[in-house]
Amino acid sequence: MKKIALFSILLLLMPNLGQAGSLTGVTVSPSNYTISTGTNITITFTTPQEIPADGRIYVDLFNDGTAGTFSKEAGLDYTDYDVSVGGVDQILAADNSTNAMGVEQFDDWFYIHLKTNAAIPLGSEIIIQIGTNATFGSTGDKQWIAPSSSGTALTAIRTDDENDGALDSGSQWETISAAAPEFSDFMMILILVVGGMMTWKMMLQQKQNMTV
């Protein structure tokens, strides 16, 4: 049975669903994850409506698909996140306040809790970076880990007002695949030896042809 994130259930139940709009410019990088591997993630979108103070930005890394769920590397916390609004880096903390946005994490989804006294204006480009690519304030050292099986994953994003009323949403599909095989040192040596033998054989054959 496909997993449905908590905020997806809320989205279906919201009485003002008809007023919800679509986020624009939604991109999730990378678009192809390697199974069971920690990865830096960058999520970008523009909100067509203002997100009020104390509102939320929900991100479900596996809202749908065939690959399975993401997991958190031990110790992943708000210090491994960066949030930029209109090109301005935001101060983050475990909980939101008048001075910082909060970062709340769950099994394979999280949300950004806006400051209690500051809205995000409509038309703002929002960039969320997670992992070692988060460098504002301190550099992140933990990551989200991709599912352990190959397949597809749908990253879903939703903005809510201060009362958990749905505002705008967007999504992007990604793929999860096995890592490309790597040659061992033994295989590299074997290739060099075989290649050298073939070259030597060709040179010997040419010499024999010249003496006939």
Side-chain angles (χ1 to χ4, degrees), residues 104-181:
E104 297 282 349
Q105 301 180 115
F106 300 89
D107 289 343
D108 61 358
W109 60 284
F110 65 90
Y111 68 81
I112 307 298
H113 201 170
L114 271 60
K115 293 179 182 179
T116 57
N117 62 346
I120 292 180
L122 62 86
S124 296
E125 182 182 58
I126 299 170
I127 302 175
I128 302 172
Q129 294 177 294
I130 315 165
T132 60
N133 57 339
T135 58
F136 178 68
S138 61
T139 300
D141 59 359
K142 306 297 180 184
Q143 299 169 313
W144 281 93
I145 300 172
S148 58
S149 58
S150 59
T152 58
L154 179 70
T155 298
I157 308 159
R158 196 188 81 189
T159 58
D160 277 17
D161 63 24
E162 69 277 21
N163 297 313
D164 272 333
L167 295 174
D168 304 298
S169 61
S171 60
Q172 178 180 295
W173 285 97
E174 292 88 40
T175 58
I176 290 86
S177 56

Side-chain angles (χ1 to χ4, degrees), residues 8 41 48 68-69 97 101 106 113 119 148 180 197 202:
S8 296
I41 300 174
T69 58
S97 65
M101 292 184 178
F106 300 89
H113 201 170
S148 58
M197 291 178 64
M202 291 174 61

Side-chain angles (χ1 to χ4, degrees), residues 5-6 18 24 33 37-38 43 50 57 60 65 76 90 96 102 107 110 112 119 123 131 133 138 140 150 156 212:
L6 175 61
T24 60
Y33 294 89
T37 302
I43 300 166
E50 177 186 271
I57 301 169
D60 189 348
L76 182 73
Q90 305 296 305
N96 73 323
D107 289 343
F110 65 90
I112 307 298
N133 57 339
S138 61
S150 59
V212 172

